[in-house]
Amino acid sequence: MMDSQTDIGILAGTEIFRSLSGEILDEVRRAASRRRLARKEVLYHQGDAVRNFYVVVVGRLRATQTTEEGNQIALRYLGPGELVGYAALAGIPDYPGTVVAVEDTHLFAWSAGAMRELMGRHPQIALNAVAVLGTRYRETQARLREISTETVERRIAHALLRLARQAGRRTAQGTEICFPLSRQDIAELAGTTLHTVSRTLSGWEKDGIVLSAHRHVVVCLPEMLAAIREAAS
Amino acid sequence: MMDSQTDIGILAGTEIFRSLSGEILDEVRRAASRRRLARKEVLYHQGDAVRNFYVVVVGRLRATQTTEEGNQIALRYLGPGELVGYAALAGIPDYPGTVVAVEDTHLFAWSAGAMRELMGRHPQIALNAVAVLGTRYRETQARLREISTETVERRIAHALLRLARQAGRRTAQGTEICFPLSRQDIAELAGTTLHTVSRTLSGWEKDGIVLSAHRHVVVCLPEMLAAIREAAS
DNA sequence: CGATGAGTTGATCCGACTCAACCACGGTGG
DNA sequence: CCACCGTGGTTGAGTCGGATCAACTCATCG
């Protein structure tokens, strides 16, 4: 009973189940199951038939898309409160990307059918879904514009600022991105190669803008990164 | 009375109002107003406060996004039955892009508030919105992957194939893209310059893959374009 | 019949990718 | 506990796709 209440509290804090009455939240909770993933474990693969919809409770996941040639880009990093597997909401038959845990993660899960039923019975859930998908769509459009008009350096700066905002932890040196993040990972976000990322970060580290250890980045001077992102350079 | 019936028929054929009962469609129709745009006329500008939501009845529009430096990319072309101004559904306060008519266009319009009310009262509309936004989100993710991993030539091939599918008319020579489309327009879709598009199309015209006149393109050998899009080339 | 927007084509240049070699951790197993 | 090996990271040299710069032609329209 205590657990039910904490679960409901968690659900109330997610983007898809916000602004719901306690009664509806309880109905949502009863339909949910749990899923745990260890670091590097895959939630689902690109092309798999869509079965489930998830919400992150704790941890962090990475959504990627791969071409036939094996070229990979990172679509998004997903943290607590965010929904995973939007395809289940939209009625898309196959998952368009692969989702993998970048740290140990705990999720709530619903079947695609249960979610669509919940949305049909409770319009507020559907409205929340519209808001989330609209926001993600807009963000992706902005990234599309960015990647086709901006230089690599500016894109890397923007990617780091986004990560710092999404998953930053304030420390003495600055804002630390608090999950393991390799050069390759950053390259897949910025649409470039790990070589270029490595060179760029080395330069920034010399200027004191960032600090980096093994798969670990700290943004020291976010205002400098913001300037790089915006400046004509 | 006759007009009401034809309007309801039109609404029933749109992506956002499909699968609704006649009664609900009539309610939707009563809340609608009309808007006409001449070629080159702007429906709304990037950054404008969101007031309305639209559905295309006849004609075609282009949605673009511009950077501070004036660099522009085309987000999407919108034809009959498609929704315009998704920001009004998602509760986004400012339009993220500019929408302009590429030919004379007729739309239905609703206020943002009316649409959100309709979605709240009729979950099927909200579910349709989720499906549309989910599909567009997925398409944009795919374009993001494409632009950051594929060559310009392949992207141009893909852009032409998409346009031919969306707005193609079969003719003796092949599939004609039936609205005015300049080299610059194609460049903004493919994320390149009009110079590169011009060179590429000249080459393809030599091989009989496409035909082009002034702001006018015919795809003669779509299977060759598909091969270019996919081949390692 | 100018004027203006659209298209072509050549020459040049540069940002970023590719290829390559090497180094530094850190996790694992003997 | 330490040696080992693999993953991750750095850095240099060379190359190239496509942008940029530039000059010119050709439609279209007022």
PDB file of all heavy atoms in Angstrom, chain C residues 1-3 7 9 12 14-16 18-19 21 23 28:
ATOM      1  P    DC C   1      13.931  46.743 -78.646  1.00  0.00           P
ATOM      2  OP1  DC C   1      14.887  47.766 -78.382  1.00  0.00           O
ATOM      3  OP2  DC C   1      14.150  45.301 -78.787  1.00  0.00           O
ATOM      4  O5'  DC C   1      12.628  46.919 -77.704  1.00  0.00           O
ATOM      5  C5'  DC C   1      12.574  48.000 -76.787  1.00  0.00           C
ATOM      6  C4'  DC C   1      12.881  47.541 -75.378  1.00  0.00           C
ATOM      7  O4'  DC C   1      11.842  46.661 -74.883  1.00  0.00           O
ATOM      8  C3'  DC C   1      14.184  46.749 -75.209  1.00  0.00           C
ATOM      9  O3'  DC C   1      14.870  47.280 -74.085  1.00  0.00           O
ATOM     10  C2'  DC C   1      13.749  45.337 -74.890  1.00  0.00           C
ATOM     11  C1'  DC C   1      12.458  45.614 -74.139  1.00  0.00           C
ATOM     12  N1   DC C   1      11.496  44.481 -74.066  1.00  0.00           N
ATOM     13  C2   DC C   1      10.663  44.389 -72.937  1.00  0.00           C
ATOM     14  O2   DC C   1      10.743  45.249 -72.049  1.00  0.00           O
ATOM     15  N3   DC C   1       9.787  43.368 -72.863  1.00  0.00           N
ATOM     16  C4   DC C   1       9.721  42.456 -73.851  1.00  0.00           C
ATOM     17  N4   DC C   1       8.819  41.478 -73.731  1.00  0.00           N
ATOM     18  C5   DC C   1      10.559  42.527 -74.988  1.00  0.00           C
ATOM     19  C6   DC C   1      11.419  43.530 -75.061  1.00  0.00           C
ATOM     20  P    DG C   2      16.323  47.837 -74.176  1.00  0.00           P
ATOM     21  OP1  DG C   2      16.204  49.301 -74.215  1.00  0.00           O
ATOM     22  OP2  DG C   2      17.021  47.102 -75.230  1.00  0.00           O
ATOM     23  O5'  DG C   2      16.953  47.409 -72.754  1.00  0.00           O
ATOM     24  C5'  DG C   2      17.126  48.394 -71.776  1.00  0.00           C
ATOM     25  C4'  DG C   2      16.104  48.238 -70.654  1.00  0.00           C
ATOM     26  O4'  DG C   2      15.070  47.289 -71.012  1.00  0.00           O
ATOM     27  C3'  DG C   2      16.703  47.757 -69.351  1.00  0.00           C
ATOM     28  O3'  DG C   2      16.183  48.565 -68.308  1.00  0.00           O
ATOM     29  C2'  DG C   2      16.231  46.324 -69.234  1.00  0.00           C
ATOM     30  C1'  DG C   2      14.878  46.365 -69.953  1.00  0.00           C
ATOM     31  N9   DG C   2      14.463  45.089 -70.547  1.00  0.00           N
ATOM     32  C8   DG C   2      14.996  44.488 -71.671  1.00  0.00           C
ATOM     33  N7   DG C   2      14.395  43.367 -71.993  1.00  0.00           N
ATOM     34  C5   DG C   2      13.415  43.210 -71.019  1.00  0.00           C
ATOM     35  C6   DG C   2      12.452  42.179 -70.854  1.00  0.00           C
ATOM     36  O6   DG C   2      12.273  41.178 -71.547  1.00  0.00           O
ATOM     37  N1   DG C   2      11.654  42.419 -69.746  1.00  0.00           N
ATOM     38  C2   DG C   2      11.757  43.494 -68.903  1.00  0.00           C
ATOM     39  N2   DG C   2      10.900  43.542 -67.889  1.00  0.00           N
ATOM     40  N3   DG C   2      12.643  44.466 -69.055  1.00  0.00           N
ATOM     41  C4   DG C   2      13.438  44.264 -70.128  1.00  0.00           C
ATOM     42  P    DA C   3      16.958  48.703 -66.939  1.00  0.00           P
ATOM     43  OP1  DA C   3      16.672  50.059 -66.414  1.00  0.00           O
ATOM     44  OP2  DA C   3      18.344  48.259 -67.161  1.00  0.00           O
ATOM     45  O5'  DA C   3      16.230  47.656 -65.999  1.00  0.00           O
ATOM     46  C5'  DA C   3      14.802  47.671 -65.920  1.00  0.00           C
ATOM     47  C4'  DA C   3      14.328  46.470 -65.108  1.00  0.00           C
ATOM     48  O4'  DA C   3      14.081  45.347 -65.985  1.00  0.00           O
ATOM     49  C3'  DA C   3      15.351  45.985 -64.071  1.00  0.00           C
ATOM     50  O3'  DA C   3      14.638  45.622 -62.896  1.00  0.00           O
ATOM     51  C2'  DA C   3      15.970  44.769 -64.729  1.00  0.00           C
ATOM     52  C1'  DA C   3      14.765  44.212 -65.478  1.00  0.00           C
ATOM     53  N9   DA C   3      15.092  43.365 -66.633  1.00  0.00           N
ATOM     54  C8   DA C   3      16.114  43.519 -67.532  1.00  0.00           C
ATOM     55  N7   DA C   3      16.131  42.609 -68.478  1.00  0.00           N
ATOM     56  C5   DA C   3      15.044  41.799 -68.179  1.00  0.00           C
ATOM     57  C6   DA C   3      14.510  40.655 -68.794  1.00  0.00           C
ATOM     58  N6   DA C   3      15.019  40.111 -69.893  1.00  0.00           N
ATOM     59  N1   DA C   3      13.423  40.103 -68.232  1.00  0.00           N
ATOM     60  C2   DA C   3      12.903  40.650 -67.121  1.00  0.00           C
ATOM     61  N3   DA C   3      13.312  41.722 -66.456  1.00  0.00           N
ATOM     62  C4   DA C   3      14.395  42.256 -67.044  1.00  0.00           C
ATOM     63  P    DG C   7      15.494  27.486 -61.069  1.00  0.00           P
ATOM     64  OP1  DG C   7      14.593  26.370 -61.442  1.00  0.00           O
ATOM     65  OP2  DG C   7      16.000  27.617 -59.700  1.00  0.00           O
ATOM     66  O5'  DG C   7      16.725  27.458 -62.070  1.00  0.00           O
ATOM     67  C5'  DG C   7      16.462  27.444 -63.462  1.00  0.00           C
ATOM     68  C4'  DG C   7      17.784  27.392 -64.192  1.00  0.00           C
ATOM     69  O4'  DG C   7      18.486  28.634 -63.986  1.00  0.00           O
ATOM     70  C3'  DG C   7      18.728  26.296 -63.712  1.00  0.00           C
ATOM     71  O3'  DG C   7      19.050  25.478 -64.832  1.00  0.00           O
ATOM     72  C2'  DG C   7      19.951  27.034 -63.171  1.00  0.00           C
ATOM     73  C1'  DG C   7      19.864  28.362 -63.894  1.00  0.00           C
ATOM     74  N9   DG C   7      20.490  29.476 -63.200  1.00  0.00           N
ATOM     75  C8   DG C   7      20.189  29.967 -61.949  1.00  0.00           C
ATOM     76  N7   DG C   7      20.916  31.002 -61.606  1.00  0.00           N
ATOM     77  C5   DG C   7      21.751  31.199 -62.689  1.00  0.00           C
ATOM     78  C6   DG C   7      22.763  32.174 -62.905  1.00  0.00           C
ATOM     79  O6   DG C   7      23.132  33.072 -62.152  1.00  0.00           O
ATOM     80  N1   DG C   7      23.368  32.017 -64.150  1.00  0.00           N
ATOM     81  C2   DG C   7      23.035  31.055 -65.071  1.00  0.00           C
ATOM     82  N2   DG C   7      23.719  31.052 -66.203  1.00  0.00           N
ATOM     83  N3   DG C   7      22.087  30.139 -64.881  1.00  0.00           N
ATOM     84  C4   DG C   7      21.494  30.273 -63.681  1.00  0.00           C
ATOM     85  P    DT C   9      25.516  23.166 -67.864  1.00  0.00           P
ATOM     86  OP1  DT C   9      25.395  22.752 -69.264  1.00  0.00           O
ATOM     87  OP2  DT C   9      25.239  22.233 -66.770  1.00  0.00           O
ATOM     88  O5'  DT C   9      26.991  23.719 -67.645  1.00  0.00           O
ATOM     89  C5'  DT C   9      27.334  25.011 -68.117  1.00  0.00           C
ATOM     90  C4'  DT C   9      28.555  25.514 -67.390  1.00  0.00           C
ATOM     91  O4'  DT C   9      28.190  26.264 -66.226  1.00  0.00           O
ATOM     92  C3'  DT C   9      29.514  24.423 -66.902  1.00  0.00           C
ATOM     93  O3'  DT C   9      30.732  24.592 -67.587  1.00  0.00           O
ATOM     94  C2'  DT C   9      29.638  24.680 -65.393  1.00  0.00           C
ATOM     95  C1'  DT C   9      29.243  26.143 -65.292  1.00  0.00           C
ATOM     96  N1   DT C   9      28.744  26.598 -63.978  1.00  0.00           N
ATOM     97  C2   DT C   9      29.224  27.793 -63.484  1.00  0.00           C
ATOM     98  O2   DT C   9      30.038  28.478 -64.067  1.00  0.00           O
ATOM     99  N3   DT C   9      28.705  28.167 -62.265  1.00  0.00           N
ATOM    100  C4   DT C   9      27.775  27.463 -61.505  1.00  0.00           C
ATOM    101  O4   DT C   9      27.387  27.899 -60.426  1.00  0.00           O
ATOM    102  C5   DT C   9      27.327  26.218 -62.066  1.00  0.00           C
ATOM    103  C7   DT C   9      26.343  25.387 -61.336  1.00  0.00           C
ATOM    104  C6   DT C   9      27.828  25.854 -63.266  1.00  0.00           C
ATOM    105  P    DT C  12      41.918  28.366 -60.866  1.00  0.00           P
ATOM    106  OP1  DT C  12      42.945  29.406 -61.063  1.00  0.00           O
ATOM    107  OP2  DT C  12      42.191  26.943 -61.207  1.00  0.00           O
ATOM    108  O5'  DT C  12      41.442  28.433 -59.348  1.00  0.00           O
ATOM    109  C5'  DT C  12      40.829  29.635 -58.862  1.00  0.00           C
ATOM    110  C4'  DT C  12      40.400  29.426 -57.432  1.00  0.00           C
ATOM    111  O4'  DT C  12      39.230  28.579 -57.369  1.00  0.00           O
ATOM    112  C3'  DT C  12      41.454  28.770 -56.531  1.00  0.00           C
ATOM    113  O3'  DT C  12      41.696  29.643 -55.435  1.00  0.00           O
ATOM    114  C2'  DT C  12      40.829  27.442 -56.130  1.00  0.00           C
ATOM    115  C1'  DT C  12      39.345  27.748 -56.229  1.00  0.00           C
ATOM    116  N1   DT C  12      38.429  26.594 -56.426  1.00  0.00           N
ATOM    117  C2   DT C  12      37.343  26.454 -55.590  1.00  0.00           C
ATOM    118  O2   DT C  12      37.104  27.239 -54.683  1.00  0.00           O
ATOM    119  N3   DT C  12      36.548  25.373 -55.854  1.00  0.00           N
ATOM    120  C4   DT C  12      36.726  24.417 -56.846  1.00  0.00           C
ATOM    121  O4   DT C  12      35.945  23.493 -56.978  1.00  0.00           O
ATOM    122  C5   DT C  12      37.883  24.615 -57.680  1.00  0.00           C
ATOM    123  C7   DT C  12      38.169  23.644 -58.786  1.00  0.00           C
ATOM    124  C6   DT C  12      38.670  25.675 -57.441  1.00  0.00           C
ATOM    125  P    DC C  14      41.094  29.103 -48.118  1.00  0.00           P
ATOM    126  OP1  DC C  14      41.096  30.531 -47.735  1.00  0.00           O
ATOM    127  OP2  DC C  14      42.339  28.346 -48.324  1.00  0.00           O
ATOM    128  O5'  DC C  14      40.223  28.333 -47.045  1.00  0.00           O
ATOM    129  C5'  DC C  14      38.804  28.374 -47.120  1.00  0.00           C
ATOM    130  C4'  DC C  14      38.239  27.093 -46.559  1.00  0.00           C
ATOM    131  O4'  DC C  14      38.230  26.060 -47.558  1.00  0.00           O
ATOM    132  C3'  DC C  14      39.062  26.538 -45.389  1.00  0.00           C
ATOM    133  O3'  DC C  14      38.139  26.208 -44.388  1.00  0.00           O
ATOM    134  C2'  DC C  14      39.727  25.303 -45.964  1.00  0.00           C
ATOM    135  C1'  DC C  14      38.661  24.857 -46.954  1.00  0.00           C
ATOM    136  N1   DC C  14      39.128  23.969 -48.055  1.00  0.00           N
ATOM    137  C2   DC C  14      38.295  22.926 -48.485  1.00  0.00           C
ATOM    138  O2   DC C  14      37.192  22.769 -47.935  1.00  0.00           O
ATOM    139  N3   DC C  14      38.704  22.127 -49.499  1.00  0.00           N
ATOM    140  C4   DC C  14      39.888  22.335 -50.067  1.00  0.00           C
ATOM    141  N4   DC C  14      40.251  21.532 -51.061  1.00  0.00           N
ATOM    142  C5   DC C  14      40.759  23.385 -49.638  1.00  0.00           C
ATOM    143  C6   DC C  14      40.344  24.176 -48.634  1.00  0.00           C
ATOM    144  P    DG C  15      38.331  26.510 -42.875  1.00  0.00           P
ATOM    145  OP1  DG C  15      37.978  27.920 -42.650  1.00  0.00           O
ATOM    146  OP2  DG C  15      39.632  25.972 -42.460  1.00  0.00           O
ATOM    147  O5'  DG C  15      37.159  25.618 -42.264  1.00  0.00           O
ATOM    148  C5'  DG C  15      35.886  25.595 -42.900  1.00  0.00           C
ATOM    149  C4'  DG C  15      35.272  24.217 -42.800  1.00  0.00           C
ATOM    150  O4'  DG C  15      35.865  23.322 -43.768  1.00  0.00           O
ATOM    151  C3'  DG C  15      35.430  23.558 -41.445  1.00  0.00           C
ATOM    152  O3'  DG C  15      34.194  22.931 -41.144  1.00  0.00           O
ATOM    153  C2'  DG C  15      36.580  22.556 -41.653  1.00  0.00           C
ATOM    154  C1'  DG C  15      36.469  22.211 -43.133  1.00  0.00           C
ATOM    155  N9   DG C  15      37.737  21.998 -43.838  1.00  0.00           N
ATOM    156  C8   DG C  15      38.904  22.688 -43.636  1.00  0.00           C
ATOM    157  N7   DG C  15      39.865  22.326 -44.441  1.00  0.00           N
ATOM    158  C5   DG C  15      39.294  21.334 -45.225  1.00  0.00           C
ATOM    159  C6   DG C  15      39.854  20.572 -46.270  1.00  0.00           C
ATOM    160  O6   DG C  15      41.000  20.615 -46.745  1.00  0.00           O
ATOM    161  N1   DG C  15      38.940  19.663 -46.810  1.00  0.00           N
ATOM    162  C2   DG C  15      37.638  19.524 -46.372  1.00  0.00           C
ATOM    163  N2   DG C  15      36.911  18.605 -46.996  1.00  0.00           N
ATOM    164  N3   DG C  15      37.092  20.229 -45.393  1.00  0.00           N
ATOM    165  C4   DG C  15      37.978  21.113 -44.867  1.00  0.00           C
ATOM    166  P    DA C  16      33.898  22.298 -39.756  1.00  0.00           P
ATOM    167  OP1  DA C  16      32.458  22.499 -39.498  1.00  0.00           O
ATOM    168  OP2  DA C  16      34.913  22.730 -38.793  1.00  0.00           O
ATOM    169  O5'  DA C  16      34.115  20.754 -40.064  1.00  0.00           O
ATOM    170  C5'  DA C  16      33.398  20.203 -41.158  1.00  0.00           C
ATOM    171  C4'  DA C  16      33.992  18.881 -41.554  1.00  0.00           C
ATOM    172  O4'  DA C  16      35.267  19.044 -42.220  1.00  0.00           O
ATOM    173  C3'  DA C  16      34.253  17.906 -40.400  1.00  0.00           C
ATOM    174  O3'  DA C  16      33.714  16.689 -40.812  1.00  0.00           O
ATOM    175  C2'  DA C  16      35.770  17.861 -40.317  1.00  0.00           C
ATOM    176  C1'  DA C  16      36.128  18.018 -41.782  1.00  0.00           C
ATOM    177  N9   DA C  16      37.501  18.432 -42.056  1.00  0.00           N
ATOM    178  C8   DA C  16      38.251  19.332 -41.361  1.00  0.00           C
ATOM    179  N7   DA C  16      39.462  19.512 -41.857  1.00  0.00           N
ATOM    180  C5   DA C  16      39.488  18.662 -42.949  1.00  0.00           C
ATOM    181  C6   DA C  16      40.484  18.382 -43.904  1.00  0.00           C
ATOM    182  N6   DA C  16      41.681  18.956 -43.904  1.00  0.00           N
ATOM    183  N1   DA C  16      40.198  17.477 -44.879  1.00  0.00           N
ATOM    184  C2   DA C  16      38.991  16.900 -44.879  1.00  0.00           C
ATOM    185  N3   DA C  16      37.974  17.091 -44.042  1.00  0.00           N
ATOM    186  C4   DA C  16      38.288  17.988 -43.086  1.00  0.00           C
ATOM    187  P    DT C  18      34.610   9.444 -42.969  1.00  0.00           P
ATOM    188  OP1  DT C  18      33.635   8.715 -43.809  1.00  0.00           O
ATOM    189  OP2  DT C  18      34.574   9.314 -41.496  1.00  0.00           O
ATOM    190  O5'  DT C  18      36.078   9.065 -43.444  1.00  0.00           O
ATOM    191  C5'  DT C  18      36.546   9.518 -44.708  1.00  0.00           C
ATOM    192  C4'  DT C  18      37.986   9.074 -44.900  1.00  0.00           C
ATOM    193  O4'  DT C  18      38.886  10.040 -44.308  1.00  0.00           O
ATOM    194  C3'  DT C  18      38.331   7.720 -44.278  1.00  0.00           C
ATOM    195  O3'  DT C  18      38.997   6.954 -45.266  1.00  0.00           O
ATOM    196  C2'  DT C  18      39.227   8.072 -43.097  1.00  0.00           C
ATOM    197  C1'  DT C  18      39.891   9.362 -43.573  1.00  0.00           C
ATOM    198  N1   DT C  18      40.337  10.304 -42.502  1.00  0.00           N
ATOM    199  C2   DT C  18      41.593  10.855 -42.577  1.00  0.00           C
ATOM    200  O2   DT C  18      42.388  10.600 -43.468  1.00  0.00           O
ATOM    201  N3   DT C  18      41.899  11.729 -41.561  1.00  0.00           N
ATOM    202  C4   DT C  18      41.087  12.098 -40.503  1.00  0.00           C
ATOM    203  O4   DT C  18      41.480  12.891 -39.656  1.00  0.00           O
ATOM    204  C5   DT C  18      39.786  11.475 -40.480  1.00  0.00           C
ATOM    205  C7   DT C  18      38.843  11.798 -39.368  1.00  0.00           C
ATOM    206  C6   DT C  18      39.476  10.625 -41.468  1.00  0.00           C
ATOM    207  P    DC C  19      39.319   5.388 -45.002  1.00  0.00           P
ATOM    208  OP1  DC C  19      39.114   4.704 -46.305  1.00  0.00           O
ATOM    209  OP2  DC C  19      38.575   4.942 -43.803  1.00  0.00           O
ATOM    210  O5'  DC C  19      40.872   5.381 -44.678  1.00  0.00           O
ATOM    211  C5'  DC C  19      41.758   6.167 -45.475  1.00  0.00           C
ATOM    212  C4'  DC C  19      43.138   6.205 -44.843  1.00  0.00           C
ATOM    213  O4'  DC C  19      43.201   7.278 -43.867  1.00  0.00           O
ATOM    214  C3'  DC C  19      43.566   4.926 -44.105  1.00  0.00           C
ATOM    215  O3'  DC C  19      44.891   4.620 -44.489  1.00  0.00           O
ATOM    216  C2'  DC C  19      43.446   5.308 -42.639  1.00  0.00           C
ATOM    217  C1'  DC C  19      43.843   6.792 -42.703  1.00  0.00           C
ATOM    218  N1   DC C  19      43.387   7.606 -41.547  1.00  0.00           N
ATOM    219  C2   DC C  19      44.252   8.581 -41.031  1.00  0.00           C
ATOM    220  O2   DC C  19      45.366   8.732 -41.539  1.00  0.00           O
ATOM    221  N3   DC C  19      43.844   9.332 -39.986  1.00  0.00           N
ATOM    222  C4   DC C  19      42.622   9.139 -39.460  1.00  0.00           C
ATOM    223  N4   DC C  19      42.253   9.913 -38.436  1.00  0.00           N
ATOM    224  C5   DC C  19      41.730   8.152 -39.976  1.00  0.00           C
ATOM    225  C6   DC C  19      42.153   7.410 -41.008  1.00  0.00           C
ATOM    226  P    DA C  21      50.532   2.813 -40.085  1.00  0.00           P
ATOM    227  OP1  DA C  21      51.527   2.497 -41.119  1.00  0.00           O
ATOM    228  OP2  DA C  21      49.546   1.809 -39.637  1.00  0.00           O
ATOM    229  O5'  DA C  21      51.312   3.337 -38.792  1.00  0.00           O
ATOM    230  C5'  DA C  21      51.801   4.681 -38.750  1.00  0.00           C
ATOM    231  C4'  DA C  21      51.741   5.182 -37.338  1.00  0.00           C
ATOM    232  O4'  DA C  21      50.374   5.549 -37.018  1.00  0.00           O
ATOM    233  C3'  DA C  21      52.158   4.138 -36.293  1.00  0.00           C
ATOM    234  O3'  DA C  21      53.284   4.625 -35.586  1.00  0.00           O
ATOM    235  C2'  DA C  21      50.919   3.999 -35.399  1.00  0.00           C
ATOM    236  C1'  DA C  21      50.168   5.298 -35.649  1.00  0.00           C
ATOM    237  N9   DA C  21      48.732   5.228 -35.401  1.00  0.00           N
ATOM    238  C8   DA C  21      47.836   4.279 -35.835  1.00  0.00           C
ATOM    239  N7   DA C  21      46.604   4.481 -35.436  1.00  0.00           N
ATOM    240  C5   DA C  21      46.686   5.641 -34.679  1.00  0.00           C
ATOM    241  C6   DA C  21      45.727   6.391 -33.978  1.00  0.00           C
ATOM    242  N6   DA C  21      44.424   6.047 -33.922  1.00  0.00           N
ATOM    243  N1   DA C  21      46.135   7.506 -33.338  1.00  0.00           N
ATOM    244  C2   DA C  21      47.430   7.837 -33.400  1.00  0.00           C
ATOM    245  N3   DA C  21      48.441   7.217 -34.025  1.00  0.00           N
ATOM    246  C4   DA C  21      47.990   6.120 -34.656  1.00  0.00           C
ATOM    247  P    DC C  23      53.949   5.626 -28.303  1.00  0.00           P
ATOM    248  OP1  DC C  23      55.200   6.327 -27.975  1.00  0.00           O
ATOM    249  OP2  DC C  23      53.880   4.153 -28.320  1.00  0.00           O
ATOM    250  O5'  DC C  23      52.819   6.158 -27.313  1.00  0.00           O
ATOM    251  C5'  DC C  23      52.393   7.516 -27.379  1.00  0.00           C
ATOM    252  C4'  DC C  23      51.222   7.708 -26.457  1.00  0.00           C
ATOM    253  O4'  DC C  23      50.045   7.067 -27.017  1.00  0.00           O
ATOM    254  C3'  DC C  23      51.412   7.114 -25.065  1.00  0.00           C
ATOM    255  O3'  DC C  23      51.010   8.093 -24.121  1.00  0.00           O
ATOM    256  C2'  DC C  23      50.499   5.892 -25.059  1.00  0.00           C
ATOM    257  C1'  DC C  23      49.397   6.307 -26.016  1.00  0.00           C
ATOM    258  N1   DC C  23      48.671   5.217 -26.707  1.00  0.00           N
ATOM    259  C2   DC C  23      47.278   5.150 -26.567  1.00  0.00           C
ATOM    260  O2   DC C  23      46.700   5.996 -25.864  1.00  0.00           O
ATOM    261  N3   DC C  23      46.611   4.163 -27.211  1.00  0.00           N
ATOM    262  C4   DC C  23      47.261   3.278 -27.965  1.00  0.00           C
ATOM    263  N4   DC C  23      46.559   2.328 -28.579  1.00  0.00           N
ATOM    264  C5   DC C  23      48.682   3.322 -28.117  1.00  0.00           C
ATOM    265  C6   DC C  23      49.343   4.297 -27.466  1.00  0.00           C
ATOM    266  P    DT C  28      35.471  -6.082 -15.344  1.00  0.00           P
ATOM    267  OP1  DT C  28      34.210  -6.380 -16.045  1.00  0.00           O
ATOM    268  OP2  DT C  28      35.471  -5.813 -13.887  1.00  0.00           O
ATOM    269  O5'  DT C  28      36.497  -7.256 -15.643  1.00  0.00           O
ATOM    270  C5'  DT C  28      37.043  -7.380 -16.958  1.00  0.00           C
ATOM    271  C4'  DT C  28      38.092  -8.466 -16.963  1.00  0.00           C
ATOM    272  O4'  DT C  28      39.384  -7.912 -16.591  1.00  0.00           O
ATOM    273  C3'  DT C  28      37.818  -9.628 -16.014  1.00  0.00           C
ATOM    274  O3'  DT C  28      38.078 -10.853 -16.690  1.00  0.00           O
ATOM    275  C2'  DT C  28      38.803  -9.395 -14.863  1.00  0.00           C
ATOM    276  C1'  DT C  28      39.970  -8.728 -15.586  1.00  0.00           C
ATOM    277  N1   DT C  28      40.827  -7.837 -14.760  1.00  0.00           N
ATOM    278  C2   DT C  28      42.190  -7.846 -14.976  1.00  0.00           C
ATOM    279  O2   DT C  28      42.734  -8.546 -15.790  1.00  0.00           O
ATOM    280  N3   DT C  28      42.893  -6.969 -14.177  1.00  0.00           N
ATOM    281  C4   DT C  28      42.384  -6.125 -13.212  1.00  0.00           C
ATOM    282  O4   DT C  28      43.121  -5.390 -12.561  1.00  0.00           O
ATOM    283  C5   DT C  28      40.942  -6.184 -13.040  1.00  0.00           C
ATOM    284  C7   DT C  28      40.289  -5.304 -12.011  1.00  0.00           C
ATOM    285  C6   DT C  28      40.241  -7.021 -13.809  1.00  0.00           C
TER     286       DT C  28
END
